[in-house]
Amino acid sequence: MGRANAQLDAATKRRLERAVEGDVLTGSFDRGRYATDASVYQVMPLGVVIPKTFADVEATLSLAAEQGVSVTARGGGTSQCGQTVNSSIVVDFSKHLNNLVDVDLDAMTATVEPGLVLDHLNAKLKGENVWFPVDVSTASRATIGGMTANNSCGSRSIRYGTMRDNVEAVEAMLASGEKMRFGPVPHDLAGVNDPRAKLFADLLGMGAREADEIRDKFPDIIRRVGGYNIDALTPNGATNNLAHLLVGSEGTLGLSERITVRLSPTLGPKVLGICHFPTFYEAMDSAQHLVALDPTQVELVDSTMIALARDIPMFQPVLEQFVRGEPAALLIVEFAEPDMDENLRRLKALGDLMADLGFRWGDPGKKEGGVVEATDPTLQAQIIDVRKQGLNIMMSMKEARKPISFVEDCAVRLPDLAEYTDKLTAIFRKYDTTGTWYAHASVGTLHVRPVLNLKLDTDVKAMRAIAEEAFELVRAYKGSHSGEHGDGIVRSEFHRTMFGDRMVENFEWVKDRMDPAGTLNPGRVVRPPKMDDRSYFRYHEDYDPKDRETVFDWSAWNGASGGFQGAVEMCNNNGACRKIADGVMCPSYRVTRDEKHLTRGRANTLRLALSGQLGDGAFASDEMAETMKLCVSCKACRRECPTGVDMAKMKIEVQAARAALKRPGPRDTLVGYLPRYARLASKMPWLANLRDKVPALRKLSDKTIGLAESRTLPQWRSDVFETPSSASDLASADVVLFADTFNRYFEPDNLRAALKVLDAAGLKIAHAPAPGGRPVCCGRTFLSAGFADQARAEMERTVEALRPALERGTPIVGLEPSCIMTFRDEAPALLRDKWDAAWSDQFVMIEEYLDAKLRDNSIKLPLKALPQAHALLHGHCHQKAFNAVGPVQRLLGRIPGLKVEMIATSCCGMAGAFGYQSETADVSRAMGELSLLPKIREADGDTLIVADGTSCRHQIADGANRQAEHVACVLARALEGE
């Protein structure tokens, strides 16, 4: 049964821990994080091993065989068919076994360990002007081992073929523990005298016996990845590459140790033609003609994907640049020949061909359509990224029904594509659903996902019926039922239907010959369970989340707890959060490389806890707190997770639940209530700052309340920022300056600089009131400690104090990103009907306000040159999450002679109190060391360092011994030219 909750017994665990150098994980929380991949399935493993060496893998396999349990290899865990989940010991190769072993430019090959991620491999190869061209959309997290196991293909397979076409050799460990190199061998095995000879002779003998059957039953099509590649065993010439048998075998025949792949010259300059079509059928019918121009890829984007992407902040601006009108479908055609003139010639030919096919805007004799050209490399990369994110964009649907992967990768010949997709759509309609379409039109492999709710038995039955009818349709067109993502649980069952009994018996013979005890990933490829056995489903028959009270309004989603359950379930496990370059998400994973410290890992843990699968009280348990401990609430997932999993808010739900059950400790109280005692502390800063001046007090604070001895705390000031007597009232001001707690009491010079800049712009400035003598506050510190009621009270108090300005539409301008973004993000969800949606737009960063006013010529700022000619800019995580870094760049760019360079950073690592905590201070520094601190240390002393976040400035001072400035201070100095 899929959900059998067996685990390794204590004695076996102890033996395994003694045998391996890496980690052995057997707790329910850890196993739960490895129970899912990007498929619809969930199978609890017996345990998880994170090997540090291949000796660890060997020891694990040996012990598993002795105990009669199985082993499942795993890379990025992004498989869509259920091939990386099993009731086995899961071995995660991705953390440590990820090295580039060798590059041979003469042979144009590279040898890698299986855990190496595709993007990381290509980054290492970049300087050599070569790359590995099987460019799957999950390149930022797909491992070469996983790609080999799945026989991955990628968008440019029309030019470069599949993984099988690009793997030269595999050094593998068999279930017996034997290590063998699989690669090209003479068909007669002349000269092969090592232990491989007997095995290879048996395999090639079977291939010779079954050659006619294999030729007859395997479809003659590029994208055939179903079953084992036993056609590699047939007499195909002087040699057979036996590595191709392991390619696509899903870890059922051997565990890869080293994989030798073929390299290709790096692509040169590119152009894109985005072909617009008024109907889906016409797009599909046109694909066969477009490929005649020899493009490197032709990728489909349908109207559903366009509509969903327009609702996702990170994609909406890009779509505006390349989507014209309301097309039913787009085909993105790429030309990437070495000669740019040739690319431009083909791009023109594409436009002519589209006109010949009957599509040209503004031509009365033609249909609506045509080609939008993209020759700018930046725009091209953005367009391709939108397509690559197709799966996640499709999964961003918030309703209970979701696009489900099970007939996703069927492949047919291009002349049949339009008719096939039309008939498949009719099958969907028959079962009262629709399909979403995207991906590889160039090779007749479209990712199509019927929209179903697999929590409903009726939709599960529809899934089975659609699969049976769809595969029968594919067989009628002599296509492939498995064209890219492998077999796993979802498609292995249908090998018998598609290939016949004899071929399935051949697959079983190969499995039994290489793994007689069924130790390696059993039930995948051969002898599989039923694809609709709900005991294997993520949403199994007794999946029944209970309602619980929530802090925030989650009603935009469906499900229990007012939609909170649905928001958590938005994680489709595709693993975009596993990237370690570009963007911000997920900073803690970038340091630890542990599934536990990943947005996906946290979301899976929350889902299991909310649905009762981790036991009573799991949601507010110590294990859940440990799961959330390294989440720095950067909000990057809110923007960069294409399905919008907002882990920062979800963490607050956990903290609030814990606070309700267990009295928060003194550190949380000290942090949370900071705005309440700040004025008192500022009146005696010598006492408030004493902790940092007396070493014994630093040591004591570390031991008693968990404030890291190695960190100095922000220094209280006595000259706090006070509202000037000349301030305008709220009813008549142009702008209200919101003085946050951090800048008011720790860095008041920033607020004075902001006042100077706003005044120089000729604005009438009001200030946020201080009812009862205490300034208003965003409530951020309370939220960070789990004090939801206190945070709500602070926000309500602030709203009442600012009501005249809010109702008048006056901008509320602030300096601290975490405070201003709280009013845009948490406040609406926390205050619910007490919050007017229009108010969110009124809370703006000072740079956003000034940039907008300068751009529409509403104000002028007489900025002068500074002594510095170069500025390094670090964006606060919340600025990045709300796309608010651009205004800072543009403002600094207005200073004469100042060159502004944006540092490509993830989170700085300080993240409010996170960097000061004893248990997280080291991780905080490691986050800073990923890119921010090294870049600043490289800068000369004359370089200006700009960071708007209080925490960011403190991290920079602590880790790089440089003082960073708020943009308001830089602008104030530029008014004087000093």
Side-chain angles (χ1 to χ4, degrees):
M1 297 291 285
R3 291 188 297 108
N5 202 20
Q7 65 185 88
L8 295 176
D9 60 60
T12 303
K13 180 190 176 186
R14 285 193 298 271
R15 288 184 61 194
L16 196 53
E17 287 174 331
R18 288 194 297 268
V20 305
E21 187 181 351
D23 297 323
V24 178
L25 311 174
T26 58
S28 59
F29 279 68
D30 286 315
R31 291 187 297 119
R33 285 184 272 268
Y34 282 87
T36 49
D37 52 16
S39 71
V40 301
Y41 299 107
Q42 174 179 301
V43 185
M44 277 286 186
L46 301 173
V48 180
V49 172
I50 317 292
K52 281 191 175 180
T53 65
F54 285 102
D56 285 354
V57 180
E58 188 172 2
T60 302
L61 185 58
S62 175
L63 185 59
E66 178 190 321
Q67 296 291 314
V69 299
S70 58
V71 171
T72 295
R74 181 170 167 128
T78 62
S79 299
Q80 295 179 34
C81 304
Q83 54 265 69
T84 59
V85 294
N86 216 324
S87 52
S88 310
I89 300 174
V90 169
V91 180
D92 183 350
F93 285 77
S94 66
K95 182 171 182 177
H96 299 295
L97 304 181
N98 53 22
N99 296 298
L100 173 59
V101 178
D102 178 66
V103 176
D104 186 338
L105 293 179
D106 292 331
M108 287 293 281
T109 62
T111 299
V112 306
E113 293 178 343
L116 181 61
V117 168
L118 174 59
D119 271 356
H120 305 170
L121 169 60
N122 281 329
K124 293 173 184 289
L125 296 172
K126 190 173 182 180
E128 305 294 345
N129 295 317
V130 295
W131 73 313
F132 184 61
V134 185
D135 56 338
V136 295
S137 61
T138 53
S140 64
R141 59 270 193 200
T143 63
I144 301 299
M147 291 171 63
T148 301
N150 278 0
N151 194 7
S152 297
C153 303
S155 61
R156 295 186 174 95
S157 63
I158 191 173
R159 175 68 59 93
Y160 295 105
T162 68
M163 197 72 186
R164 174 179 177 176
D165 299 310
N166 291 277
V167 170
E168 183 68 20
V170 177
E171 296 174 41
M173 184 185 302
L174 302 186
S176 63
E178 293 177 278
K179 296 183 180 182
M180 292 188 180
R181 178 180 174 85
F182 291 76
V185 296
H187 187 69
D188 60 4
L189 294 179
V192 180
N193 299 313
D194 55 33
R196 299 176 299 167
K198 173 59 176 163
L199 172 63
F200 288 2
D202 289 349
L203 292 172
L204 292 172
M206 188 278 286
R209 290 193 307 273
E210 297 297 316
D212 291 341
E213 178 74 6
I214 293 167
R215 255 189 309 272
D216 181 55
K217 294 298 171 64
F218 273 177
D220 183 17
I221 194 168
I222 295 174
R223 292 299 198 92
R224 197 279 306 160
V225 305
Y228 293 133
N229 289 326
I230 57 176
D231 55 329
L233 305 177
T234 61
N236 294 316
T239 62
N240 287 71
N241 191 330
L242 297 188
H244 294 173
L245 180 63
L246 296 186
V247 175
S249 65
E250 301 185 354
T252 63
L253 302 181
L255 301 181
S256 301
E257 291 197 3
R258 285 180 173 79
I259 302 164
T260 300
V261 296
R262 297 171 183 163
L263 305 178
S264 294
T266 304
L267 285 175
K270 297 183 284 291
V271 296
L272 296 180
I274 299 89
C275 301
H276 290 56
F277 296 90
T279 70
F280 186 82
Y281 186 93
E282 288 168 316
M284 297 301 91
D285 190 51
S286 298
Q288 61 184 310
H289 304 294
L290 302 186
V291 299
L293 296 175
D294 194 22
T296 43
Q297 61 176 311
V298 180
E299 294 288 290
L300 167 68
V301 173
D302 78 349
S303 57
T304 302
M305 183 170 163
I306 293 170
L308 290 169
R310 280 174 168 159
D311 287 336
I312 299 174
M314 67 186 296
F315 298 133
Q316 188 269 337
V318 182
L319 264 71
E320 289 181 354
Q321 298 182 68
F322 76 91
V323 179
R324 182 170 170 177
E326 299 294 334
L330 306 174
L331 290 179
I332 301 171
V333 182
E334 178 190 77
F335 300 108
E337 303 306 313
D339 180 15
M340 187 60 172
D341 289 340
E342 175 60 16
N343 291 329
L344 293 172
R345 186 195 69 76
R346 294 191 192 190
L347 186 58
K348 181 181 182 304
L350 179 65
D352 294 340
L353 177 56
M354 283 289 287
D356 291 343
L357 293 172
F359 308 102
R360 185 160 59 195
W361 288 296
D363 188 332
K366 306 289 185 183
K367 298 179 182 179
E368 276 293 294
V371 180
V372 170
E373 298 182 354
T375 57
D376 175 66
T378 300
L379 178 58
Q380 291 170 12
Q382 292 172 331
I383 293 170
I384 294 299
D385 186 53
V386 170
R387 208 310 286 151
K388 283 189 172 184
Q389 294 286 359
L391 168 60
N392 289 315
I393 291 171
M394 293 301 190
M395 295 302 290
S396 68
M397 294 180 180
K398 292 183 178 179
E399 56 265 32
R401 279 188 155 196
K402 295 284 194 298
I404 303 299
S405 172
F406 61 101
V407 293
E408 167 165 82
D409 292 312
C410 300
V412 298
R413 295 170 181 82
L414 285 183
D416 299 324
L417 187 59
E419 191 175 280
Y420 160 72
T421 55
D422 198 47
K423 289 182 178 179
L424 190 55
T425 298
I427 293 174
F428 297 158
R429 282 197 297 266
K430 176 180 175 181
Y431 294 98
D432 194 29
T433 187
T434 59
T436 62
W437 303 83
Y438 65 100
H440 316 306
S442 59
V443 288
T445 304
L446 300 181
H447 297 333
V448 54
R449 292 183 162 219
V451 181
L452 299 168
N453 179 3
L454 294 189
K455 295 177 183 176
L456 303 177
D457 190 56
T458 53
D459 281 19
V460 174
K461 289 177 180 176
M463 175 186 179
R464 155 67 66 177
I466 290 170
E468 290 176 347
E469 294 188 31
F471 294 150
E472 187 60 37
L473 182 63
V474 170
R475 191 168 66 163
Y477 283 109
K478 301 187 184 305
S480 170
H481 71 304
S482 185
E484 180 169 19
H485 291 153
D487 300 331
I489 300 173
V490 79
R491 278 194 280 269
S492 294
E493 175 191 348
F494 294 97
H495 293 334
R496 196 171 297 276
T497 300
M498 302 304 292
F499 299 133
D501 291 345
R502 184 170 169 181
M503 284 289 284
V504 169
E505 290 169 5
N506 288 332
F507 294 158
E508 291 174 349
W509 182 91
V510 170
K511 170 67 172 175
D512 294 343
R513 176 62 182 86
M514 296 186 68
D515 179 20
T519 302
L520 298 177
N521 207 18
R524 310 298 178 261
V525 184
V526 301
R527 305 183 183 98
K530 291 288 187 182
M531 60 89 77
D532 57 337
D533 181 343
R534 291 192 68 181
S535 70
Y536 285 88
F537 277 23
R538 192 180 305 181
Y539 306 126
H540 41 78
E541 288 175 302
D542 54 351
Y543 186 82
D544 185 25
K546 304 302 183 211
D547 280 319
R548 60 176 304 116
E549 289 188 16
T550 62
V551 172
F552 296 115
D553 177 8
W554 299 94
S555 60
W557 292 267
N558 67 87
S561 305
F564 181 43
Q565 184 76 27
V568 170
E569 290 170 358
M570 288 299 292
C571 177
N572 66 5
N573 281 266
N574 192 248
C577 44
R578 287 178 68 93
K579 64 181 181 179
I580 63 168
D582 303 321
V584 179
M585 180 179 69
C586 179
S588 50
Y589 173 75
R590 294 183 184 199
V591 170
T592 70
R593 306 292 176 89
D594 288 337
E595 185 75 19
K596 174 180 177 178
H597 301 135
L598 184 65
T599 303
R600 179 179 75 178
R602 296 176 184 120
N604 274 320
T605 306
L606 285 171
R607 177 180 54 79
L608 291 167
L610 288 168
S611 56
Q613 297 179 71
L614 295 176
D616 294 339
F619 186 77
S621 66
D622 290 345
E623 292 94 336
M624 184 64 76
E626 186 68 20
T627 299
M628 293 291 172
K629 183 172 76 173
L630 297 190
C631 173
V632 292
S633 300
C634 64
K635 297 183 187 285
C637 50
R638 181 189 185 278
R639 175 176 173 81
E640 295 178 23
C641 171
T643 59
V645 174
D646 190 345
M647 193 53 60
K649 278 203 194 77
M650 293 173 184
K651 179 180 180 179
I652 291 170
E653 294 284 1
V654 171
Q655 290 174 304
R658 285 179 61 79
L661 292 176
K662 182 179 179 181
R663 184 173 179 175
R667 184 180 65 200
D668 286 343
T669 303
L670 191 68
V671 171
Y673 280 84
L674 187 147
R676 300 275 178 91
Y677 63 78
R679 180 165 288 275
L680 177 62
S682 71
K683 294 183 181 301
M684 50 182 90
W686 58 271
L687 179 60
N689 295 330
L690 194 60
R691 179 263 187 196
D692 283 358
K693 300 183 186 303
V694 180
L697 290 179
R698 289 172 69 156
K699 187 181 292 292
L700 183 64
S701 73
D702 192 322
K703 291 184 177 180
T704 57
I705 61 175
L707 288 173
E709 179 185 0
S710 60
R711 288 282 201 185
T712 58
L713 302 179
Q715 295 297 291
W716 295 91
R717 296 269 292 267
S718 59
D719 59 333
V720 300
F721 179 81
E722 302 286 2
T723 301
S725 58
S726 59
S728 301
D729 64 48
L730 293 178
S732 62
D734 297 318
V735 63
V736 177
L737 180 61
F738 184 88
D740 63 272
T741 301
F742 308 110
N743 281 298
R744 182 186 291 275
Y745 295 107
F746 298 119
E747 299 180 89
D749 294 336
N750 294 340
L751 286 162
R752 296 186 184 106
L755 196 58
K756 180 178 179 179
V757 174
L758 293 170
D759 186 62
L763 298 163
K764 293 169 65 177
I765 309 160
H767 292 258
R774 182 168 64 83
V776 294
C777 172
C778 67
R780 176 91 242 157
T781 59
F782 285 120
L783 284 177
S784 70
F787 299 125
D789 291 340
Q790 292 86 338
R792 186 181 297 107
E794 284 298 323
M795 290 179 185
E796 290 175 349
R797 179 172 177 268
T798 299
V799 166
E800 286 307 309
L802 291 173
R803 187 173 293 279
L806 290 170
E807 293 181 346
R808 186 168 171 262
T810 306
I812 315 297
V813 172
L815 273 66
E816 174 55 37
S818 61
C819 293
I820 291 299
M821 302 313 171
T822 295
F823 289 112
R824 292 194 203 171
D825 192 8
E826 286 89 355
L830 189 63
L831 298 186
R832 307 187 190 208
D833 58 358
K834 294 182 179 180
W835 183 268
D836 188 314
W839 295 346
S840 297
D841 294 333
Q842 289 177 243
F843 285 90
V844 293
M845 295 294 297
I846 188 172
E847 58 265 22
E848 293 179 290
Y849 177 78
L850 292 173
D851 177 58
K853 290 293 183 181
L854 288 166
R855 293 171 80 186
D856 68 14
N857 295 314
S858 300
I859 63 171
K860 295 189 182 299
L861 278 178
L863 301 175
K864 302 172 185 176
L866 292 170
Q868 299 93 346
H870 182 213
L872 287 177
L873 171 62
H874 165 69
H876 186 284
C877 293
H878 296 181
Q879 283 176 300
K880 294 171 184 173
F882 285 85
N883 200 28
V885 181
V888 190
Q889 292 176 281
R890 289 190 292 269
L891 276 181
L892 292 172
R894 290 178 178 271
I895 299 173
L898 184 65
K899 177 187 175 185
V900 183
E901 180 184 353
M902 184 75 189
I903 309 175
T905 55
S906 180
C907 178
C908 75
M910 188 59 82
F914 182 86
Y916 300 107
Q917 297 173 164
S918 302
E919 69 274 21
T920 54
D922 288 343
V923 174
S924 166
R925 291 190 181 92
M927 288 182 186
E929 293 294 346
L930 289 172
S931 55
L932 174 63
L933 298 178
K935 182 69 175 178
I936 291 176
R937 290 193 203 103
E938 292 172 4
D940 60 44
D942 292 330
T943 298
L944 184 63
I945 312 297
V946 183
D948 282 358
T950 295
S951 295
C952 307
R953 293 191 294 275
H954 285 221
Q955 180 77 307
I956 290 167
D958 187 83
N961 198 28
R962 293 290 298 270
Q963 294 303 312
E965 293 186 72
H966 193 286
V967 67
C969 291
V970 179
L971 294 174
R973 289 198 296 108
L975 290 171
E976 305 295 333
E978 59 183 33

